[in-house]
Amino acid sequence: MAQLTDARSLGAAPDLSEHQRASLSGRIVQALRGKPGLTTGLLLLPGTLWMLLTVGTALVSIVVFSFWTSGFTGLRPEYTLANYQSLLRPGSSFWGITVWTLQVVAMLLIGVILLAYPVSYTLWRVIKSPYWKSALLLLFIVPFWTSYLTRTITWLPMFGREGVVNQVLMGLRITDEPVEVLLYSEFSMMVALWFLFIVFMVGPIYFSMQRIDEDIMSAAAVYGASPWKTFFLVVVPLTLPGLMAGSLFVVVLGLAEFFTERAIGGAQSPMLAGLIQRQIDVFQFAGASAIAVVLILITLALVGLMLRFFDIRRI
Amino acid sequence: MSKRVRNGQHILGNLGGSRVDRRKLIRSGLQAGAALGVAGLGGLTLVGGPGTALAQEDPTIDPNAPEWEPSVTPRSPRKYRWEPLAEGESALPTGLEVRTIGLGVSVQDRFLNEFERRTGHSSSGKVTTLTAMITEWLAGGAANYDTNETNANRNQALWDTGLLQPIPVDQVIPWQYARDTYTSAEALGFDPVSGYPLVEVWVDPETQTEFKLVPQFYNCDSIGYRYDLTEEDITSWGSLFDEKYAGKVAILNDSLLTPGWAAGYLKASGQVEIARTDNMTHEELDQVIEYMIEKKRAGQFRAIWEDYGQCVNLLASGEVWLADAWNPVVEDVKKQDVVCKYAFPEEGFTAWFHGIAVQKDTPNLEAALDYVNFCLEGWWGSQVALQGYYSPTTTCDVYLNESRQTSEDFTDYEWWYQGGSSPDPKEGWPLTGRDTGAYDTRWGNIMHWMTWPDDPDYYATRWNDFLSA
């Protein structure tokens, strides 16, 4: 059976015994001998079928539903372009919300990159003890063992009028009254989002840094590069695979974000994913599907753009 | 004989050890064997068989017992399974089950536990949101449930798609004690334009022989406010737009309800001409949304609240001073020793009712009807009264007359239905009765019922415009 797992070796499969030839697996090996394309196809078949069934069906359904008609009693298969016309008409709030969504994702991405590099670098170079490295990395990851919702609403007692931050600020006499912008604002939403997503960036960048050969760092130092120069001209380029992997996570998940805006941002600045839910609230499933289709297209475009500038096989 | 059977019941009850265990026992399929064993012990005969889902006889039930009347005191024998049962006793398991779905306010373990204890039916309840519930049923999930506890304006979707069965009025015994809100077009709060609430209760509001859904609990909504912070009583929906409270207001993220009360304020104050605030035309809604956008841009709203707990936290923490809240929200805030009141708005309250509908092909019809009757028997209504909700039947009055859980000075009936010290809305603090006054005072002041508008899509679109402004 071992031969079956390596398509490339099939072309030169060893001679089979009489008994092996007689068995089912033996007959399969015989049939596939010299046909690596067919073998690869067969190996890909279960996964492909599974993805087609689960992801493919859902995607196709969403696209089809986006051309149907919403009704109080459910979707009706009456084809129309009205959902897209309503969504994409000039003056529709969709445009502003799309721009805002992209802004949030951009701020999210820039923020987590700026936070993740110092954190990863510290873990990689500054902390020498492997014990402390592991302990700090674990500390960093542990909060992410809890639910996404729990991690989000944790910011309520942190940033509220009577929250930890305001208590400290007032305790230090920095302010006399609670700072209200700390909660239910775009600022608080971004802080929560950076916290939620930073693990997706720190992990890949840190592991990319670990793969940098120590000799390269030494060479940079020997040739007189300052630590900053080494960081920007050596470390950053060599950690691009990690940066790109993290960015893919952040962009794709960030575009689908809706809960943080609702819970921490005060629900006053919805993003595209939030629009979908608000349509569903009033049984506008076709309209929700149309937004979903547009959101998927935007996601694909962004991911495509990122991959155009970076070969994902380097990750 | 009854004593031996009762002992048998205790044995069965003890077998489970706890109610949760008993449910597991029932659900695991062992229940049938256990019931057979105990029934044999008492010399009983099981009726019905697989698929027919008929309950076995219960020794505490006598069909010839005198007709039921609302009473706090359990009687023996009982005529119906849903009647009160003496403390410490549990009915024999019937093998029937009720699978219900609804909001957290009505689907609660304490209610289902009492239902199981009285009837011997097992139960399961799923707590969800209104939208998710209707969506699940429309998407084919209805077969997984026997009953549905939902807001009447959304129940229309289930009725129109044929997922429900009409419920004969004579199968709902406590209905003979119904409040006229659900039987008469002359009742306080009846809306002759929309026909609410009668049009959603009855298959035919004229004959009133069959329910579309049986009213379960209801209320009228207004504004919750921190009296200690506002230092004045709030008496208008307009206070939510008052510059004096800029940055201190939270409003509900709902494309139908929030523009509805805003329209009520703008109409009453003469700023916008609106025919029906519950079902606006595009032009009317446009003007309401534009007004709200203007207010939003001026920083009027601190937050758009999304769910019950969030609204409680917003008011209790003082993040906001006033919000278009639900009555139980205010009661929950008060429980945290915070000075919070519910407003009596001059433009009127927004009314709604929830009901229980029965799934068309339920295999547990008998148990489902027992559940409907149980919710109207009085005990259930008395429990939700403490959250500020009303019961559509007067059967809860006997329970509320005997309890003083809200105030030492008044019975719960006097407090929640009669307004305590007076039927009028209460000024200032501390309260000497229900802040919004007596039942008639409230229901004589209705702005509109929560109906389903002709063009909800337009409501959603314009609401998104408001949110993203």
Side-chain angles (χ1 to χ4, degrees):
Chain A
M1 288 302 288
Q3 294 95 328
L4 268 178
T5 60
D6 186 351
R8 285 166 299 186
S9 68
L10 283 173
D15 287 341
L16 301 173
S17 67
E18 283 299 318
H19 175 72
Q20 282 172 319
R21 274 195 205 100
S23 70
L24 178 63
S25 56
R27 286 203 297 275
I28 292 172
V29 171
Q30 283 285 12
L32 295 175
R33 185 188 291 269
K35 299 170 187 163
L38 178 63
T39 311
T40 307
L42 280 175
L43 286 171
L44 288 175
L45 191 61
T48 309
L49 282 177
W50 178 251
M51 291 299 281
L52 275 176
L53 194 69
T54 53
V55 182
T57 310
L59 276 177
V60 170
S61 302
I62 289 171
V63 173
V64 172
F65 293 161
S66 72
F67 292 101
W68 283 14
T69 304
S70 292
F72 186 36
T73 53
L75 279 166
R76 291 195 306 271
E78 296 164 10
Y79 287 88
T80 174
L81 289 172
N83 302 312
Y84 288 99
Q85 285 167 345
S86 163
L87 191 67
L88 304 175
R89 71 184 152 80
S92 160
S93 55
F94 166 80
W95 299 109
I97 292 173
T98 303
V99 170
W100 169 240
T101 306
L102 295 174
Q103 279 177 344
V104 170
V105 171
M107 287 190 287
L108 175 60
L109 186 59
I110 292 168
V112 290
I113 290 172
L114 292 178
L115 288 168
Y117 263 104
V119 171
S120 308
Y121 191 84
T122 307
L123 279 172
W124 174 48
R125 302 292 291 180
V126 179
I127 312 285
K128 301 292 182 194
S129 152
Y131 170 79
W132 279 108
K133 264 189 213 282
S134 305
L136 286 173
L137 199 60
L138 195 66
L139 266 181
F140 201 79
I141 292 169
V142 162
F144 292 85
W145 292 353
T146 60
S147 137
Y148 158 77
L149 302 183
T150 309
R151 272 180 288 134
T152 305
I153 58 174
T154 303
W155 292 100
L156 291 177
M158 188 69 81
F159 278 161
R161 282 176 61 87
E162 296 168 6
V164 176
V165 175
N166 266 319
Q167 293 293 327
V168 170
L169 289 176
M170 288 194 289
L172 296 173
R173 308 264 180 223
I174 295 171
T175 173
D176 294 332
E177 290 195 344
V179 182
E180 294 199 334
V181 75
L182 286 177
L183 192 59
Y184 303 125
S185 63
E186 289 165 5
F187 164 77
S188 57
M189 181 185 81
M190 287 314 305
V191 172
L193 283 174
W194 286 325
F195 171 75
L196 279 169
F197 282 84
I198 191 172
V199 76
F200 295 114
M201 194 60 85
V202 167
I205 290 180
Y206 172 69
F207 290 116
S208 280
M209 285 177 173
Q210 275 199 318
R211 281 194 272 172
I212 297 175
D213 194 329
E214 192 56 39
D215 289 346
I216 295 176
M217 298 299 287
S218 303
V222 165
Y223 282 99
S226 69
W228 284 108
K229 209 165 186 177
T230 308
F231 178 78
F232 284 110
L233 297 181
V234 177
V235 176
V236 170
L238 287 174
T239 52
L240 276 182
L243 175 66
M244 191 52 66
S247 300
L248 281 171
F249 279 126
V250 170
V251 168
V252 172
L253 296 175
L255 282 167
E257 172 62 45
F258 71 98
F259 182 72
T260 310
E261 182 268 323
R262 299 178 82 142
I264 308 298
Q268 301 203 56
S269 311
M271 292 187 279
L272 281 174
L275 271 196
I276 296 174
Q277 186 167 12
R278 284 170 182 124
Q279 290 283 332
I280 290 172
D281 281 346
V282 282
F283 304 115
Q284 298 300 312
F285 300 109
S289 300
I291 302 170
V293 168
V294 175
L295 182 56
I296 290 167
L297 291 176
I298 291 174
T299 310
L300 286 175
L302 280 180
V303 171
L305 198 66
M306 291 167 76
L307 296 182
R308 191 177 170 81
F309 290 104
F310 187 83
D311 185 356
I312 198 166
R313 284 170 296 191
R314 282 180 59 194
I315 294 176
Chain B
M1 176 197 108
S2 68
K3 193 172 179 184
R4 276 181 64 191
V5 174
R6 292 286 163 82
N7 287 340
Q9 291 169 21
H10 288 306
I11 291 168
L12 185 67
N14 291 337
L15 271 176
S18 73
R19 191 158 302 279
V20 173
D21 287 348
R22 181 168 159 260
R23 281 194 190 169
K24 279 182 184 164
L25 179 74
I26 289 165
R27 288 174 190 156
S28 69
L30 293 174
Q31 174 271 339
L36 273 169
V38 178
L41 196 70
L44 299 173
T45 309
L46 283 172
V47 293
T52 57
L54 291 171
Q56 66 176 83
E57 289 177 12
D58 187 306
T60 67
I61 307 279
D62 178 0
N64 298 317
E67 191 47 64
W68 167 83
E69 288 179 2
S71 170
V72 177
T73 314
R75 61 174 179 164
S76 185
R78 306 181 296 169
K79 190 177 176 74
Y80 305 107
R81 288 179 181 280
W82 43 264
E83 287 186 40
L85 190 61
E87 205 172 322
E89 292 185 359
S90 296
L92 286 173
T94 61
L96 301 191
E97 184 183 20
V98 169
R99 301 159 298 166
T100 193
I101 181 169
L103 303 188
V105 289
S106 67
V107 179
Q108 296 182 17
D109 268 352
R110 60 185 178 127
F111 298 153
L112 294 177
N113 288 343
E114 177 65 7
F115 172 72
E116 290 189 351
R117 189 182 76 84
R118 286 188 187 187
T119 62
H121 305 318
S122 60
S123 66
S124 61
K126 178 174 173 180
V127 175
T128 181
T129 64
L130 288 174
T131 306
M133 183 195 318
I134 303 293
T135 307
E136 184 176 342
W137 276 51
L138 290 176
N144 298 326
Y145 301 97
D146 305 304
T147 56
N148 181 318
E149 303 168 39
T150 188
N151 192 311
N153 72 346
R154 303 195 184 216
N155 187 62
Q156 188 189 335
L158 303 182
W159 180 262
D160 289 351
T161 40
L163 291 170
L164 305 175
Q165 59 175 289
I167 305 167
V169 69
D170 59 8
Q171 296 289 310
V172 186
I173 310 302
W175 194 254
Q176 56 192 300
Y177 298 94
R179 297 186 200 281
D180 65 355
T181 308
Y182 297 97
T183 58
S184 169
E186 307 296 322
L188 285 172
F190 176 74
D191 182 348
V193 179
S194 68
Y196 263 66
L198 302 186
V199 71
E200 283 304 328
V201 173
W202 302 103
V203 176
D204 178 358
E206 292 297 319
T207 58
Q208 299 191 1
T209 55
E210 290 177 315
F211 294 99
K212 284 181 186 171
L213 85 168
V214 182
Q216 185 186 23
F217 63 100
Y218 63 112
N219 204 3
C220 43
D221 292 344
S222 76
I223 306 147
Y225 62 100
R226 287 284 300 271
Y227 179 72
D228 55 334
L229 300 174
T230 61
E231 296 178 340
E232 65 171 351
D233 276 312
I234 300 297
T235 57
S236 166
W237 290 99
S239 295
L240 295 164
F241 297 130
D242 191 335
E243 288 174 17
K244 186 165 50 177
Y245 298 123
K248 306 293 182 191
V249 174
I251 57 173
L252 172 63
N253 185 12
D254 190 298
S255 62
L256 305 182
L257 304 186
T258 309
W261 62 251
Y265 160 67
L266 292 173
K267 179 181 179 179
S269 58
Q271 298 181 62
V272 180
E273 278 188 26
I274 299 170
R276 281 185 62 179
T277 50
D278 62 325
N279 185 11
M280 285 181 269
T281 64
H282 288 197
E283 293 72 25
E284 291 166 344
L285 182 60
D286 287 345
Q287 293 182 73
V288 173
I289 294 294
E290 291 310 318
Y291 178 84
M292 295 185 73
I293 287 175
E294 197 181 304
K295 287 292 175 184
K296 187 188 173 197
R297 286 184 174 145
Q300 184 68 22
F301 311 116
R302 173 123 168 85
I304 313 284
W305 67 276
E306 300 271 342
D307 64 60
Y308 183 88
Q310 189 189 5
C311 193
V312 172
N313 287 335
L314 282 167
L315 282 168
S317 64
E319 294 288 348
V320 301
W321 294 6
L322 55 169
D324 54 344
W326 300 329
N327 215 148
V329 165
V330 174
E331 297 311 316
D332 273 350
V333 175
K334 280 185 198 165
K335 282 178 193 162
Q336 300 181 35
D337 288 330
V338 172
V339 179
C340 192
K341 291 182 72 178
Y342 208 41
F344 188 91
E346 60 193 24
E347 301 88 358
F349 293 89
T350 52
W352 53 266
F353 75 100
H354 273 233
I356 313 175
V358 176
Q359 198 254 112
K360 183 166 174 281
D361 301 315
T362 171
N364 296 307
L365 181 59
E366 184 182 341
L369 290 173
D370 278 343
Y371 184 64
V372 171
N373 279 280
F374 165 77
C375 290
L376 296 183
E377 173 273 331
W379 178 82
W380 199 96
S382 74
Q383 298 296 307
V384 296
L386 304 181
Q387 296 174 278
Y389 292 142
Y390 295 112
S391 168
T393 54
T394 58
T395 52
C396 64
D397 300 358
V398 290
Y399 286 89
L400 293 170
N401 272 324
E402 292 203 0
S403 68
R404 289 174 185 268
Q405 292 188 54
T406 315
S407 163
E408 288 178 0
D409 300 328
F410 303 99
T411 66
D412 286 330
Y413 182 74
E414 288 168 337
W415 182 280
W416 292 104
Y417 277 84
Q418 296 183 320
S421 59
S422 81
D424 303 321
K426 305 296 177 293
E427 292 178 6
W429 192 270
L431 295 173
T432 57
R434 187 168 189 165
D435 36 20
T436 39
Y439 182 90
D440 285 356
T441 312
R442 290 177 62 139
W443 289 92
N445 184 40
I446 298 301
M447 175 200 295
H448 60 232
W449 285 79
M450 293 174 193
T451 60
W452 194 256
D454 293 336
D455 193 353
D457 186 25
Y458 194 69
Y459 270 73
T461 302
R462 294 310 328 256
W463 184 246
N464 287 335
D465 293 341
F466 165 74
L467 290 174
S468 57

